[in-house]
PDB file of all heavy atoms in Angstrom:
ATOM      1  N   TYR A  63     102.467 106.867 107.491  1.00 98.00           N
ATOM      2  CA  TYR A  63     102.010 105.885 108.496  1.00 98.00           C
ATOM      3  C   TYR A  63     101.639 104.599 107.750  1.00 98.00           C
ATOM      4  O   TYR A  63     100.597 104.522 107.118  1.00 98.00           O
ATOM      5  CB  TYR A  63     100.811 106.449 109.255  1.00 98.00           C
ATOM      6  CG  TYR A  63     100.232 105.528 110.318  1.00 98.00           C
ATOM      7  CD1 TYR A  63     101.041 104.753 111.144  1.00 98.00           C
ATOM      8  CD2 TYR A  63      98.858 105.445 110.510  1.00 98.00           C
ATOM      9  CE1 TYR A  63     100.502 103.921 112.117  1.00 98.00           C
ATOM     10  CE2 TYR A  63      98.312 104.616 111.494  1.00 98.00           C
ATOM     11  CZ  TYR A  63      99.144 103.859 112.288  1.00 98.00           C
ATOM     12  OH  TYR A  63      98.611 103.033 113.250  1.00 98.00           O
ATOM     13  N   PRO A  64     102.525 103.591 107.807  1.00 98.00           N
ATOM     14  CA  PRO A  64     102.257 102.361 107.073  1.00 98.00           C
ATOM     15  C   PRO A  64     101.614 101.293 107.947  1.00 98.00           C
ATOM     16  O   PRO A  64     101.823 101.249 109.169  1.00 98.00           O
ATOM     17  CB  PRO A  64     103.665 101.913 106.680  1.00 98.00           C
ATOM     18  CG  PRO A  64     104.524 102.369 107.821  1.00 98.00           C
ATOM     19  CD  PRO A  64     103.863 103.581 108.425  1.00 98.00           C
ATOM     20  N   GLY A  65     100.845 100.421 107.319  1.00 97.00           N
ATOM     21  CA  GLY A  65     100.255  99.300 108.062  1.00 97.00           C
ATOM     22  C   GLY A  65      99.432  98.433 107.140  1.00 97.00           C
ATOM     23  O   GLY A  65      99.321  98.719 105.940  1.00 97.00           O
ATOM     24  N   THR A  66      98.878  97.381 107.709  1.00 97.00           N
ATOM     25  CA  THR A  66      98.033  96.490 106.913  1.00 97.00           C
ATOM     26  C   THR A  66      96.574  96.949 106.984  1.00 97.00           C
ATOM     27  O   THR A  66      95.826  96.804 106.028  1.00 97.00           O
ATOM     28  CB  THR A  66      98.167  95.033 107.433  1.00 97.00           C
ATOM     29  OG1 THR A  66      99.561  94.732 107.572  1.00 97.00           O
ATOM     30  CG2 THR A  66      97.557  94.045 106.476  1.00 97.00           C
ATOM     31  N   PHE A  67      96.195  97.494 108.124  1.00 98.00           N
ATOM     32  CA  PHE A  67      94.845  98.035 108.318  1.00 98.00           C
ATOM     33  C   PHE A  67      93.768  97.031 107.899  1.00 98.00           C
ATOM     34  O   PHE A  67      92.909  97.332 107.065  1.00 98.00           O
ATOM     35  CB  PHE A  67      94.681  99.366 107.563  1.00 98.00           C
ATOM     36  CG  PHE A  67      95.689 100.403 107.951  1.00 98.00           C
ATOM     37  CD1 PHE A  67      96.768 100.708 107.134  1.00 98.00           C
ATOM     38  CD2 PHE A  67      95.583 101.058 109.167  1.00 98.00           C
ATOM     39  CE1 PHE A  67      97.721 101.653 107.500  1.00 98.00           C
ATOM     40  CE2 PHE A  67      96.535 102.017 109.547  1.00 98.00           C
ATOM     41  CZ  PHE A  67      97.594 102.304 108.703  1.00 98.00           C
ATOM     42  N   ASP A  68      93.827  95.847 108.489  1.00 98.00           N
ATOM     43  CA  ASP A  68      92.897  94.765 108.111  1.00 98.00           C
ATOM     44  C   ASP A  68      92.029  94.364 109.292  1.00 98.00           C
ATOM     45  O   ASP A  68      92.233  93.280 109.846  1.00 98.00           O
ATOM     46  CB  ASP A  68      93.686  93.565 107.590  1.00 98.00           C
ATOM     47  CG  ASP A  68      92.758  92.475 107.068  1.00 98.00           C
ATOM     48  OD1 ASP A  68      91.822  92.810 106.329  1.00 98.00           O
ATOM     49  OD2 ASP A  68      92.963  91.303 107.401  1.00 98.00           O
ATOM     50  N   PRO A  69      91.074  95.168 109.705  1.00 98.00           N
ATOM     51  CA  PRO A  69      90.695  96.476 109.195  1.00 98.00           C
ATOM     52  C   PRO A  69      91.254  97.582 110.088  1.00 98.00           C
ATOM     53  O   PRO A  69      91.851  97.302 111.130  1.00 98.00           O
ATOM     54  CB  PRO A  69      89.167  96.440 109.335  1.00 98.00           C
ATOM     55  CG  PRO A  69      88.981  95.715 110.646  1.00 98.00           C
ATOM     56  CD  PRO A  69      90.082  94.684 110.703  1.00 98.00           C
ATOM     57  N   THR A  71      91.276 100.213 112.940  1.00 98.00           N
ATOM     58  CA  THR A  71      90.643 100.166 114.271  1.00 98.00           C
ATOM     59  C   THR A  71      90.688 101.549 114.923  1.00 98.00           C
ATOM     60  O   THR A  71      91.356 102.465 114.415  1.00 98.00           O
ATOM     61  CB  THR A  71      91.402  99.196 115.206  1.00 98.00           C
ATOM     62  OG1 THR A  71      92.675  99.791 115.504  1.00 98.00           O
ATOM     63  CG2 THR A  71      91.587  97.826 114.597  1.00 98.00           C
ATOM     64  N   ASN A  72      90.042 101.653 116.072  1.00 98.00           N
ATOM     65  CA  ASN A  72      90.098 102.914 116.823  1.00 98.00           C
ATOM     66  C   ASN A  72      91.524 103.213 117.279  1.00 98.00           C
ATOM     67  O   ASN A  72      91.868 104.370 117.518  1.00 98.00           O
ATOM     68  CB  ASN A  72      89.162 102.849 118.028  1.00 98.00           C
ATOM     69  CG  ASN A  72      87.703 102.797 117.590  1.00 98.00           C
ATOM     70  OD1 ASN A  72      87.378 103.168 116.462  1.00 98.00           O
ATOM     71  ND2 ASN A  72      86.826 102.337 118.466  1.00 98.00           N
ATOM     72  N   GLY A  73      92.350 102.177 117.436  1.00 97.00           N
ATOM     73  CA  GLY A  73      93.768 102.376 117.789  1.00 97.00           C
ATOM     74  C   GLY A  73      94.500 103.080 116.661  1.00 97.00           C
ATOM     75  O   GLY A  73      95.218 104.067 116.880  1.00 97.00           O
ATOM     76  N   HIS A  74      94.325 102.590 115.422  1.00 98.00           N
ATOM     77  CA  HIS A  74      94.947 103.245 114.264  1.00 98.00           C
ATOM     78  C   HIS A  74      94.481 104.703 114.160  1.00 98.00           C
ATOM     79  O   HIS A  74      95.281 105.605 113.895  1.00 98.00           O
ATOM     80  CB  HIS A  74      94.543 102.546 112.957  1.00 98.00           C
ATOM     81  CG  HIS A  74      95.049 101.153 112.787  1.00 98.00           C
ATOM     82  ND1 HIS A  74      94.234 100.093 112.488  1.00 98.00           N
ATOM     83  CD2 HIS A  74      96.309 100.635 112.838  1.00 98.00           C
ATOM     84  CE1 HIS A  74      94.955  98.989 112.351  1.00 98.00           C
ATOM     85  NE2 HIS A  74      96.216  99.286 112.572  1.00 98.00           N
ATOM     86  N   ILE A  77      96.186 106.996 116.516  1.00 97.00           N
ATOM     87  CA  ILE A  77      97.562 107.293 116.079  1.00 97.00           C
ATOM     88  C   ILE A  77      97.539 108.301 114.926  1.00 97.00           C
ATOM     89  O   ILE A  77      98.352 109.232 114.865  1.00 97.00           O
ATOM     90  CB  ILE A  77      98.300 105.992 115.639  1.00 97.00           C
ATOM     91  CG1 ILE A  77      98.438 105.016 116.814  1.00 97.00           C
ATOM     92  CG2 ILE A  77      99.664 106.303 115.014  1.00 97.00           C
ATOM     93  CD1 ILE A  77      99.321 105.484 117.952  1.00 97.00           C
ATOM     94  N   ASN A  95     100.493  93.023 101.772  1.00 87.00           N
ATOM     95  CA  ASN A  95     100.680  92.001 102.802  1.00 87.00           C
ATOM     96  C   ASN A  95      99.930  90.686 102.613  1.00 87.00           C
ATOM     97  O   ASN A  95      99.221  90.233 103.515  1.00 87.00           O
ATOM     98  CB  ASN A  95     100.310  92.585 104.171  1.00 87.00           C
ATOM     99  CG  ASN A  95     101.527  92.634 105.071  1.00 87.00           C
ATOM    100  OD1 ASN A  95     102.496  91.891 104.834  1.00 87.00           O
ATOM    101  ND2 ASN A  95     101.496  93.469 106.077  1.00 87.00           N
ATOM    102  N   LYS A  98      99.853  87.932 105.307  1.00 85.00           N
ATOM    103  CA  LYS A  98      98.991  88.015 106.493  1.00 85.00           C
ATOM    104  C   LYS A  98      97.581  87.501 106.204  1.00 85.00           C
ATOM    105  O   LYS A  98      96.726  87.537 107.086  1.00 85.00           O
ATOM    106  CB  LYS A  98      98.913  89.455 107.002  1.00 85.00           C
ATOM    107  CG  LYS A  98     100.118  89.881 107.812  1.00 85.00           C
ATOM    108  CD  LYS A  98      99.800  91.119 108.631  1.00 85.00           C
ATOM    109  CE  LYS A  98     100.856  91.391 109.684  1.00 85.00           C
ATOM    110  NZ  LYS A  98     100.534  92.592 110.472  1.00 85.00           N
ATOM    111  N   ILE A 148     105.757 107.066 110.782  1.00 98.00           N
ATOM    112  CA  ILE A 148     105.032 107.009 112.055  1.00 98.00           C
ATOM    113  C   ILE A 148     104.613 105.567 112.312  1.00 98.00           C
ATOM    114  O   ILE A 148     104.062 104.894 111.431  1.00 98.00           O
ATOM    115  CB  ILE A 148     103.786 107.929 111.996  1.00 98.00           C
ATOM    116  CG1 ILE A 148     104.242 109.385 111.853  1.00 98.00           C
ATOM    117  CG2 ILE A 148     102.898 107.728 113.229  1.00 98.00           C
ATOM    118  CD1 ILE A 148     103.116 110.357 111.569  1.00 98.00           C
ATOM    119  N   ARG A 149     104.915 105.102 113.511  1.00 96.00           N
ATOM    120  CA  ARG A 149     104.456 103.767 113.915  1.00 96.00           C
ATOM    121  C   ARG A 149     103.774 103.912 115.265  1.00 96.00           C
ATOM    122  O   ARG A 149     104.126 104.784 116.070  1.00 96.00           O
ATOM    123  CB  ARG A 149     105.638 102.795 114.057  1.00 96.00           C
ATOM    124  CG  ARG A 149     106.363 102.499 112.774  1.00 96.00           C
ATOM    125  CD  ARG A 149     105.567 101.650 111.804  1.00 96.00           C
ATOM    126  NE  ARG A 149     105.454 100.257 112.217  1.00 96.00           N
ATOM    127  CZ  ARG A 149     104.681  99.374 111.595  1.00 96.00           C
ATOM    128  NH1 ARG A 149     103.921  99.733 110.575  1.00 96.00           N
ATOM    129  NH2 ARG A 149     104.638  98.132 112.014  1.00 96.00           N
ATOM    130  N   GLY A 150     102.808 103.044 115.501  1.00 95.00           N
ATOM    131  CA  GLY A 150     102.147 103.042 116.804  1.00 95.00           C
ATOM    132  C   GLY A 150     102.801 101.971 117.661  1.00 95.00           C
ATOM    133  O   GLY A 150     103.223 100.935 117.149  1.00 95.00           O
ATOM    134  N   LEU A 151     102.902 102.243 118.942  1.00 91.00           N
ATOM    135  CA  LEU A 151     103.507 101.253 119.831  1.00 91.00           C
ATOM    136  C   LEU A 151     102.466 100.859 120.864  1.00 91.00           C
ATOM    137  O   LEU A 151     101.893 101.705 121.537  1.00 91.00           O
ATOM    138  CB  LEU A 151     104.720 101.875 120.502  1.00 91.00           C
ATOM    139  CG  LEU A 151     105.847 100.956 120.963  1.00 91.00           C
ATOM    140  CD1 LEU A 151     106.323 100.051 119.844  1.00 91.00           C
ATOM    141  CD2 LEU A 151     107.002 101.794 121.478  1.00 91.00           C
ATOM    142  N   ARG A 152     102.192  99.567 120.922  1.00 89.00           N
ATOM    143  CA  ARG A 152     101.244  99.091 121.925  1.00 89.00           C
ATOM    144  C   ARG A 152     102.052  98.620 123.120  1.00 89.00           C
ATOM    145  O   ARG A 152     102.844  99.356 123.664  1.00 89.00           O
ATOM    146  CB  ARG A 152     100.364  97.992 121.336  1.00 89.00           C
ATOM    147  CG  ARG A 152      99.293  98.537 120.420  1.00 89.00           C
ATOM    148  CD  ARG A 152      98.653  97.485 119.586  1.00 89.00           C
ATOM    149  NE  ARG A 152      99.575  97.001 118.570  1.00 89.00           N
ATOM    150  CZ  ARG A 152      99.212  96.310 117.510  1.00 89.00           C
ATOM    151  NH1 ARG A 152      97.955  95.981 117.331  1.00 89.00           N
ATOM    152  NH2 ARG A 152     100.090  95.919 116.618  1.00 89.00           N
ATOM    153  N   ASP A 156     105.088  94.713 120.882  1.00 84.00           N
ATOM    154  CA  ASP A 156     105.431  95.362 119.611  1.00 84.00           C
ATOM    155  C   ASP A 156     106.900  95.750 119.547  1.00 84.00           C
ATOM    156  O   ASP A 156     107.452  95.933 118.473  1.00 84.00           O
ATOM    157  CB  ASP A 156     104.628  96.667 119.438  1.00 84.00           C
ATOM    158  CG  ASP A 156     103.212  96.438 118.920  1.00 84.00           C
ATOM    159  OD1 ASP A 156     102.943  95.336 118.425  1.00 84.00           O
ATOM    160  OD2 ASP A 156     102.397  97.368 119.032  1.00 84.00           O
ATOM    161  N   TYR A 159     109.940  93.710 117.475  1.00 89.00           N
ATOM    162  CA  TYR A 159     109.785  93.796 116.019  1.00 89.00           C
ATOM    163  C   TYR A 159     110.069  95.213 115.517  1.00 89.00           C
ATOM    164  O   TYR A 159     110.816  95.412 114.553  1.00 89.00           O
ATOM    165  CB  TYR A 159     108.360  93.358 115.657  1.00 89.00           C
ATOM    166  CG  TYR A 159     107.994  93.549 114.213  1.00 89.00           C
ATOM    167  CD1 TYR A 159     108.554  92.734 113.222  1.00 89.00           C
ATOM    168  CD2 TYR A 159     107.093  94.537 113.820  1.00 89.00           C
ATOM    169  CE1 TYR A 159     108.218  92.907 111.888  1.00 89.00           C
ATOM    170  CE2 TYR A 159     106.754  94.718 112.490  1.00 89.00           C
ATOM    171  CZ  TYR A 159     107.313  93.900 111.531  1.00 89.00           C
ATOM    172  OH  TYR A 159     106.983  94.084 110.211  1.00 89.00           O
ATOM    173  N   GLU A 160     109.484  96.194 116.197  1.00 91.00           N
ATOM    174  CA  GLU A 160     109.641  97.585 115.761  1.00 91.00           C
ATOM    175  C   GLU A 160     111.095  98.031 115.904  1.00 91.00           C
ATOM    176  O   GLU A 160     111.617  98.768 115.072  1.00 91.00           O
ATOM    177  CB  GLU A 160     108.726  98.516 116.581  1.00 91.00           C
ATOM    178  CG  GLU A 160     107.242  98.239 116.410  1.00 91.00           C
ATOM    179  CD  GLU A 160     106.688  98.630 115.032  1.00 91.00           C
ATOM    180  OE1 GLU A 160     107.347  99.394 114.311  1.00 91.00           O
ATOM    181  OE2 GLU A 160     105.600  98.156 114.689  1.00 91.00           O
ATOM    182  N   LEU A 179     104.422 106.537 118.357  1.00 96.00           N
ATOM    183  CA  LEU A 179     103.376 107.216 119.109  1.00 96.00           C
ATOM    184  C   LEU A 179     102.573 106.172 119.873  1.00 96.00           C
ATOM    185  O   LEU A 179     102.411 105.050 119.402  1.00 96.00           O
ATOM    186  CB  LEU A 179     102.451 107.973 118.146  1.00 96.00           C
ATOM    187  CG  LEU A 179     103.117 109.045 117.277  1.00 96.00           C
ATOM    188  CD1 LEU A 179     102.102 109.619 116.292  1.00 96.00           C
ATOM    189  CD2 LEU A 179     103.696 110.155 118.142  1.00 96.00           C
ATOM    190  N   MET A 180     102.077 106.564 121.033  1.00 94.00           N
ATOM    191  CA  MET A 180     101.226 105.654 121.804  1.00 94.00           C
ATOM    192  C   MET A 180      99.797 106.156 121.748  1.00 94.00           C
ATOM    193  O   MET A 180      99.549 107.364 121.851  1.00 94.00           O
ATOM    194  CB  MET A 180     101.694 105.603 123.246  1.00 94.00           C
ATOM    195  CG  MET A 180     102.912 104.722 123.408  1.00 94.00           C
ATOM    196  SD  MET A 180     103.261 104.380 125.128  1.00 94.00           S
ATOM    197  CE  MET A 180     103.731 105.985 125.686  1.00 94.00           C
ATOM    198  N   ALA A 181      98.884 105.213 121.602  1.00 94.00           N
ATOM    199  CA  ALA A 181      97.468 105.583 121.585  1.00 94.00           C
ATOM    200  C   ALA A 181      96.995 105.865 123.008  1.00 94.00           C
ATOM    201  O   ALA A 181      97.663 105.493 123.987  1.00 94.00           O
ATOM    202  CB  ALA A 181      96.658 104.449 120.966  1.00 94.00           C
ATOM    203  N   TYR A 185      92.624 102.669 123.944  1.00 95.00           N
ATOM    204  CA  TYR A 185      92.738 102.046 122.623  1.00 95.00           C
ATOM    205  C   TYR A 185      93.990 101.178 122.480  1.00 95.00           C
ATOM    206  O   TYR A 185      94.197 100.549 121.457  1.00 95.00           O
ATOM    207  CB  TYR A 185      92.780 103.117 121.522  1.00 95.00           C
ATOM    208  CG  TYR A 185      91.583 104.024 121.512  1.00 95.00           C
ATOM    209  CD1 TYR A 185      91.728 105.403 121.514  1.00 95.00           C
ATOM    210  CD2 TYR A 185      90.293 103.498 121.484  1.00 95.00           C
ATOM    211  CE1 TYR A 185      90.623 106.238 121.491  1.00 95.00           C
ATOM    212  CE2 TYR A 185      89.180 104.329 121.468  1.00 95.00           C
ATOM    213  CZ  TYR A 185      89.360 105.704 121.479  1.00 95.00           C
ATOM    214  OH  TYR A 185      88.276 106.525 121.459  1.00 95.00           O
ATOM    215  N   GLN A 186      94.841 101.211 123.499  1.00 92.00           N
ATOM    216  CA  GLN A 186      96.163 100.587 123.352  1.00 92.00           C
ATOM    217  C   GLN A 186      96.149  99.079 123.124  1.00 92.00           C
ATOM    218  O   GLN A 186      97.068  98.536 122.541  1.00 92.00           O
ATOM    219  CB  GLN A 186      97.028 100.893 124.570  1.00 92.00           C
ATOM    220  CG  GLN A 186      97.780 102.198 124.420  1.00 92.00           C
ATOM    221  CD  GLN A 186      98.531 102.579 125.661  1.00 92.00           C
ATOM    222  OE1 GLN A 186      98.836 101.733 126.489  1.00 92.00           O
ATOM    223  NE2 GLN A 186      98.814 103.854 125.811  1.00 92.00           N
ATOM    224  N   THR A 187      95.121  98.432 123.608  1.00 92.00           N
ATOM    225  CA  THR A 187      95.134  96.968 123.488  1.00 92.00           C
ATOM    226  C   THR A 187      94.408  96.472 122.240  1.00 92.00           C
ATOM    227  O   THR A 187      94.331  95.271 121.999  1.00 92.00           O
ATOM    228  CB  THR A 187      94.487  96.321 124.727  1.00 92.00           C
ATOM    229  OG1 THR A 187      93.186  96.902 124.888  1.00 92.00           O
ATOM    230  CG2 THR A 187      95.301  96.552 125.980  1.00 92.00           C
ATOM    231  N   ILE A 188      93.898  97.389 121.449  1.00 95.00           N
ATOM    232  CA  ILE A 188      93.135  96.961 120.263  1.00 95.00           C
ATOM    233  C   ILE A 188      94.088  96.484 119.169  1.00 95.00           C
ATOM    234  O   ILE A 188      95.076  97.148 118.852  1.00 95.00           O
ATOM    235  CB  ILE A 188      92.275  98.124 119.713  1.00 95.00           C
ATOM    236  CG1 ILE A 188      91.322  98.638 120.797  1.00 95.00           C
ATOM    237  CG2 ILE A 188      91.492  97.675 118.478  1.00 95.00           C
ATOM    238  CD1 ILE A 188      90.535  99.879 120.388  1.00 95.00           C
ATOM    239  N   ALA A 189      93.792  95.329 118.600  1.00 95.00           N
ATOM    240  CA  ALA A 189      94.572  94.810 117.480  1.00 95.00           C
ATOM    241  C   ALA A 189      93.597  94.274 116.426  1.00 95.00           C
ATOM    242  O   ALA A 189      92.621  93.597 116.780  1.00 95.00           O
ATOM    243  CB  ALA A 189      95.497  93.691 117.943  1.00 95.00           C
ATOM    244  N   SER A 190      93.880  94.573 115.158  1.00 96.00           N
ATOM    245  CA  SER A 190      92.995  94.118 114.075  1.00 96.00           C
ATOM    246  C   SER A 190      92.766  92.610 114.151  1.00 96.00           C
ATOM    247  O   SER A 190      91.646  92.122 113.957  1.00 96.00           O
ATOM    248  CB  SER A 190      93.612  94.445 112.709  1.00 96.00           C
ATOM    249  OG  SER A 190      93.821  95.820 112.568  1.00 96.00           O
TER     250      SER A 190
HETATM  251  P1  LIG B1304     101.406  95.987 110.538  1.00 63.17           P
HETATM  252  O1  LIG B1304     101.035  94.911 109.586  1.00 63.17           O
HETATM  253  O2  LIG B1304     102.480  96.905 110.069  1.00 63.17           O
HETATM  254  O3  LIG B1304     101.601  95.541 111.977  1.00 63.17           O
HETATM  255  P2  LIG B1304      98.943  97.139 111.456  1.00 63.17           P
HETATM  256  O4  LIG B1304      97.825  97.587 110.573  1.00 63.17           O
HETATM  257  O5  LIG B1304      98.695  95.989 112.335  1.00 63.17           O
HETATM  258  O6  LIG B1304     100.130  96.908 110.490  1.00 63.17           O
HETATM  259  O7  LIG B1304      99.441  98.348 112.330  1.00 63.17           O
HETATM  260  C1  LIG B1304      99.991  99.512 111.768  1.00 63.17           C
HETATM  261  C2  LIG B1304     100.681 100.300 112.843  1.00 63.17           C
HETATM  262  O8  LIG B1304      99.727 100.730 113.813  1.00 63.17           O
HETATM  263  C3  LIG B1304     101.735  99.538 113.621  1.00 63.17           C
HETATM  264  O9  LIG B1304     102.781 100.441 113.948  1.00 63.17           O
HETATM  265  C4  LIG B1304     101.009  99.098 114.869  1.00 63.17           C
HETATM  266  O10 LIG B1304     101.883  98.886 115.934  1.00 63.17           O
HETATM  267  C5  LIG B1304     100.118 100.305 115.103  1.00 63.17           C
HETATM  268  N1  LIG B1304      98.934  99.984 115.889  1.00 63.17           N
HETATM  269  C6  LIG B1304      97.968  99.092 115.599  1.00 63.17           C
HETATM  270  N2  LIG B1304      97.038  99.057 116.583  1.00 63.17           N
HETATM  271  C7  LIG B1304      97.431  99.970 117.523  1.00 63.17           C
HETATM  272  C8  LIG B1304      96.916 100.412 118.792  1.00 63.17           C
HETATM  273  N3  LIG B1304      95.809  99.877 119.319  1.00 63.17           N
HETATM  274  N4  LIG B1304      97.603 101.351 119.473  1.00 63.17           N
HETATM  275  C9  LIG B1304      98.749 101.868 118.971  1.00 63.17           C
HETATM  276  N5  LIG B1304      99.291 101.496 117.780  1.00 63.17           N
HETATM  277  C10 LIG B1304      98.650 100.571 117.067  1.00 63.17           C
END
Side-chain angles (χ1 to χ4, degrees):
Y63 180 40
T66 312
F67 303 104
D68 185 46
T71 69
N72 293 340
H74 294 127
I77 297 294
N95 244 338
K98 281 198 167 180
I148 295 171
R149 295 289 287 172
L151 207 53
R152 284 166 289 196
D156 279 345
Y159 173 71
E160 297 289 343
L179 300 175
M180 282 192 292
Y185 302 128
Q186 273 174 22
T187 54
I188 302 174
S190 301

